[in-house]
Amino acid sequence: GSRLLPLTEKTPKPMLRLGEQPMLEIVLKNCVRAGLKEFYFAVNHLKEQIIEYFGDGSKWGVNIKYLEEKNPLGTAGALKLLPFENDRPILVLNGDILTNLNVSNLISFHNKSSSFATVCVREHLEKLSYGVVHLNNELVESIEEKPSFSHYVNAGIYLIDPVVLDFIVKDKPMDMPELLTLLIRNKMQVSACPIHEYWLDVGQPETLSKAKQDWGNNKVKIYK
């Protein structure tokens, strides 16, 4: 949460309030609506605030346990602390991603794809402020005035099969893009699920302000 200092000096970023509830509670509730019951929160910075607020999850009718990092392990490294083995896919979410994505649909997409991992992606349009000159050596072929380019960006939402955890080294920091790259290099299929629903990465003061406006005032439509 360094980009949101000084707000995150005494409060972990996922616990910043949007109206009457912290950001992480919104993330949790969206998963609960999809029928998820078992949760693991990877915690480090000011973890006591998170553990005290959410407890064992009984307030929301779910079971919450905590993966306590001695040192920051990144968005993937903490998954090696999971204390169980089963064959069900694992939903991995960044705690600062706000979305009304129907998680049930994502799970169905992953199961149908037969991939080892699914990453949610979001279309991002980037408009240049300059005209682009297309050249053939020193000859001008065309001039494109302030074009827009479309990219798919990582939305910070993943579904992975448990076998993927074998690629994570215990106590070694690793982020999810690095983990997915390892899978691809090892010829293990990774799918992309485009999302068109509301999505916001709360990492800057301006996106935090938007999050407060949208969620604090209940402007975001929640699926049934």
Side-chain angles (χ1 to χ4, degrees):
S2 58
R3 292 177 296 174
L4 288 174
L5 286 171
L7 295 175
T8 51
E9 184 176 356
K10 296 182 179 180
T11 304
K13 181 164 63 169
M15 294 301 292
L16 293 176
R17 288 187 173 269
L18 308 178
E20 297 181 355
Q21 60 186 336
M23 195 182 331
L24 187 54
E25 186 173 359
I26 294 174
V27 175
L28 174 66
K29 287 179 176 178
N30 194 35
C31 293
V32 172
R33 279 191 294 272
L36 276 65
K37 297 293 185 182
E38 299 289 328
F39 294 86
Y40 291 85
F41 289 179
V43 294
N44 179 264
H45 176 62
L46 300 173
K47 62 186 179 183
E48 296 80 9
Q49 294 184 34
I50 297 174
I51 296 173
E52 181 180 354
Y53 185 90
F54 289 97
D56 62 3
S58 56
K59 177 181 176 181
W60 297 271
V62 299
N63 182 31
I64 298 177
K65 296 180 181 178
Y66 298 90
L67 309 177
E68 300 190 41
E69 303 174 356
K70 295 180 181 178
N71 298 298
L73 294 175
T75 52
L79 299 178
K80 200 66 173 181
L81 301 175
L82 288 170
F84 68 94
E85 293 183 6
N86 61 48
D87 57 355
R88 292 180 296 172
I90 302 165
L91 175 66
V92 183
L93 299 168
N94 291 350
D96 57 355
I97 297 296
L98 294 176
T99 179
N100 60 357
L101 171 70
N102 189 323
V103 176
S104 299
N105 292 343
L106 171 60
I107 295 172
S108 297
F109 177 96
H110 176 77
N111 291 337
K112 291 177 182 178
S113 71
S114 299
S115 293
F116 290 94
T118 296
V119 53
C120 288
V121 295
R122 179 88 171 178
E123 186 178 22
H124 175 72
L125 291 176
E126 183 177 3
K127 185 174 178 64
L128 291 185
S129 301
Y130 306 95
V132 174
V133 180
H134 299 280
L135 302 177
N136 182 1
N137 294 322
E138 295 179 350
L139 298 178
V140 176
E141 290 191 332
S142 63
I143 299 176
E144 192 175 3
E145 185 63 21
K146 299 180 181 179
S148 295
F149 298 93
S150 175
H151 310 275
Y152 280 109
V153 299
N154 185 348
I157 305 169
Y158 316 85
L159 260 176
I160 62 173
D161 289 346
V163 66
V164 171
L165 301 181
D166 294 339
F167 288 83
I168 303 174
V169 179
K170 185 178 180 180
D171 296 328
K172 180 181 178 181
M174 175 184 278
D175 287 327
M176 288 299 297
E178 181 183 353
L179 177 59
L180 297 181
T181 300
L182 275 177
L183 297 181
I184 295 167
R185 288 176 179 171
N186 283 273
K187 310 301 182 183
M188 298 177 71
Q189 184 169 296
V190 175
S191 292
C193 178
I195 62 173
H196 308 286
E197 295 87 348
Y198 178 98
W199 178 88
L200 185 67
D201 178 359
V202 186
Q204 303 283 356
E206 57 268 25
T207 52
L208 177 60
S209 295
K210 179 170 175 54
K212 289 180 177 180
Q213 180 181 2
D214 292 347
W215 294 91
N217 296 324
N218 298 315
K219 290 185 178 181
V220 179
K221 183 179 180 180
I222 303 299
Y223 71 86
K224 301 296 182 181

